[in-house]
Amino acid sequence: MAALEHSPQAPDNLALLDAAYAAPTAQVIGLTGPPGVGKSTLAGALIRAYRGKGQRVGVIAVDPSSRRSGGALLGDRTRLQTDPTDENVFVRSMAARDRLGGLADMTLSAMVLMRALYDRLLIETVGVGQSETDVAEAADSVLFCVQPGSGDSLQFMKAGIVEIPDLVAVTKSDMGAAAIRARADVKGALGLAAEEHEGWAVPVLLVAATTGDGIETLTAELARHWQWLSEAGRLAARRRSQAHHWLEAGLRDRFGREGLARAGRLDLPEGRSPFREAAEIAKRLAKL
């Protein structure tokens, strides 16, 4: 992983990413929502639930950056409280640095590599609120977390947030009436939004990660969404769209809008790795 972060364009690393991109196994679950909503606690509960079923779990935890070192500030690796002797759980903390979309620069490469190695891959975003929509371009199933009594449901109603989740979890459901009100608010916001996600009705679930209440139902709904994606080519279509987005966004970040325009139309053939395609286009642009 360290070699991939330091030299993503090295031939050996490109070959590794190509192989991983061609052989995905994991359902990629993005956990997003405002800071303090309990994403890490929920991620820990999901890890325990999946390990209880004998499934291998990978985690990419994106944290705010240290101003001094640039590294991950909070270190979800320690907050998730995983068993350090369990070789079927791997947690990688990443610093968001100057990214405002909730992910780190290396999240996509790490995700592609880890989804070829695990049964479930959790991506916990940094938690920046309204701009936190990049996770929809990385995850198969986006789980948006809302905390009772915090105004999160109002934030959820803002354009850009209400459109991204495939599931919503109202955390800290042991707060009782406040959690029930938050669930009603979110359901109302979803009702005001555009149509269903291609026929998928977004479930709004009550969970209490500290006690485990609702976790079994949540994993069942995540499994149901995974099954729904696997039908009618939906998963392949979503991942192709994501890969095209990565290709375009990566070239724009590196060469700017003018460079992207010089690259011409971006066609990513089915099965072709966006990392390999980006490297070849970059070589061509460098010669212009």
Side-chain angles (χ1 to χ4, degrees), residues 74-231:
L74 300 181
D76 285 88
R77 189 193 306 253
T78 58
R79 291 188 289 141
L80 287 173
Q81 299 181 345
T82 56
D83 181 357
T85 65
D86 189 348
E87 296 182 352
N88 290 304
V89 176
F90 178 76
V91 180
R92 178 66 179 181
S93 293
M94 292 186 172
R97 294 195 168 94
D98 58 352
R99 290 292 297 273
L100 296 178
L103 300 184
D105 286 333
M106 285 303 302
T107 301
L108 297 174
S109 298
M111 181 275 287
V112 167
L113 181 60
M114 291 174 68
R115 79 177 179 186
L117 300 172
Y118 296 93
D119 300 307
R120 295 290 186 272
L121 174 58
L122 308 180
I123 301 178
E124 181 192 339
T125 70
V126 70
V128 293
Q130 195 171 358
S131 67
E132 193 164 324
T133 56
D134 278 2
V135 69
E137 298 297 342
D140 302 317
S141 304
V142 177
L143 174 60
F144 189 87
C145 301
V146 174
Q147 179 174 303
S150 65
D152 288 353
S153 54
L154 294 176
Q155 178 76 4
F156 180 82
M157 293 178 190
K158 295 182 179 180
I161 295 293
V162 72
E163 298 170 358
I164 67 169
D166 299 297
L167 305 92
V168 178
V170 178
T171 61
K172 307 175 186 178
S173 65
D174 49 351
M175 293 177 67
I180 294 173
R181 283 196 300 272
R183 180 175 63 177
D185 289 344
V186 171
K187 285 186 175 180
L190 288 168
L192 294 173
E195 52 206 52
E196 298 176 344
H197 295 201
E198 304 173 12
W200 169 262
V202 178
V204 183
L205 310 170
L206 293 174
V207 299
T210 53
T211 63
D213 290 345
I215 298 300
E216 184 176 348
T217 300
L218 176 57
T219 57
E221 286 296 291
L222 285 165
R224 188 170 70 88
H225 186 249
W226 182 236
Q227 178 62 39
W228 178 81
L229 284 173
S230 301
E231 298 168 354

